[in-house]
Amino acid sequence: VTRPHMGPLGPSRVGCTRTRHRATDNGASDMNDTDITEATGPMRGVKVVELGVWVAGPAAGGILADWGADVVKIEPPSGDPCRLFQQMLGGDMPTNPIFEMDNRSKRGIAVDLGSEGGLAIAMDLLADADVFITNLRIGALQRLGLDHPSIAERFPRLVYCLITGYGSEGPDVDRAAYDIAAFWARSGIAGLLTTPGGDPPFQRGGMGDHSTGLSATAAVSAALFDRERTGRGQLVETSLMRQGAYTISFDLNLLLMWGATLEVGERTSMGNPAMNNYTAGCGRRFWIVGLEGERHWPPLARVVGHPEWLDDQRFARPRERASNASDLIGMLDAIFATRTLDEWAKVFSEEPDFFWAPVNSPEELLADPAFHGSGALVDVPDEVSSTTMVASPVDFRGTPWAARSTAPTIGQHTREVLAELGRSDGEIDALLASGAVVESD
């Protein structure tokens, strides 16, 4: 793991973040309360129970929490295994950014679902919930009596969101699948990104989980909308493999309808040299996005100072440019090496039909004004002030959302949630003594 850049006042925060805090009457942010602050956003008033581990299930719950839902996260007494991420990376970091990303603004309750008292608590939570989100394997849910058939009749208004590795039918219904397996490897994404004779590239953490979580959130939203019309909840489901297939649906639909696939692009022989990446003289890479050959080739020829190429028989038409791609790319490489990317950016800006983008590192992304303009960061209240995190990828102008707290500790809200379910102090103490529930120190 690489360490964050440490400035004179601690970890650097490049640029400013879009603050989504609810302002108080005096204009100050209400971020100094250690408890979850009042919900804002389009999902305020929606009650969600999440029984999720690692990323995909918690990501769906986390997005709904961002959007204002009251999300109660059920964890075993040992906690969501994603809490162990710090130990996996050496164990010497004071926070867990991976867990925080998907579990902020939630309330946490630690329950032993294998105990009679613990399972009864889960059922009581579901009785008052609008949505149940889980990415536990179907076999585990069946053993607990928390699978959809077991509870659908009991809670007919409940929207049940099931996230699996490979779907709820077929030979691999209960097969274990992190997103590296079902989304990245088995769905075909890694294979499509592997050059002939090369090694498959490695996925970055959570890529499939987060996109699957977003799809699950969309499904939940649609099911809640349908419930407003019908009064009935329903089962909605998605899977890591299904999400992977949709991610490469461009290629899969070519195969289904034409019986053909596109070859993996190689930089030195791209058939469309205007749709390729290059390196500036400073060493920074950038991508030219000239998807439409007839439209985007003339601006490219002009920005590199060779308008005569437009009449050159080697490059005048798309077919000829493809036939001479290696030579043309070599010529462009030599030209782009003569200036820094900042210098080229000024040249590029003079051609409105020249589309391009820098190939950013994470650090460069944090310094990119467009990144901040997109609202991609959010301030999350913590015990002292706030901490900056990545925002979930949707805003609502009429019902803006606000992050309300950092992720709960194991069992942080156990007593609070049980009291809301009508348990007396004596009953809560008895549950704690039996080990059916746990509360944080």
Side-chain angles (χ1 to χ4, degrees), residues 243-263:
Q243 187 70 31
Y246 188 73
T247 300
I248 57 168
S249 57
F250 185 109
D251 292 273
L252 289 180
N253 244 33
L254 281 172
L255 181 60
L256 288 168
M257 297 182 69
W258 287 1
T261 56
L262 299 177
E263 294 182 358

Side-chain angles (χ1 to χ4, degrees), residues 201-216:
F202 281 87
Q203 173 193 291
R204 305 305 298 180
M207 287 175 62
D209 289 319
H210 280 138
S211 58
T212 302
L214 188 59
S215 290

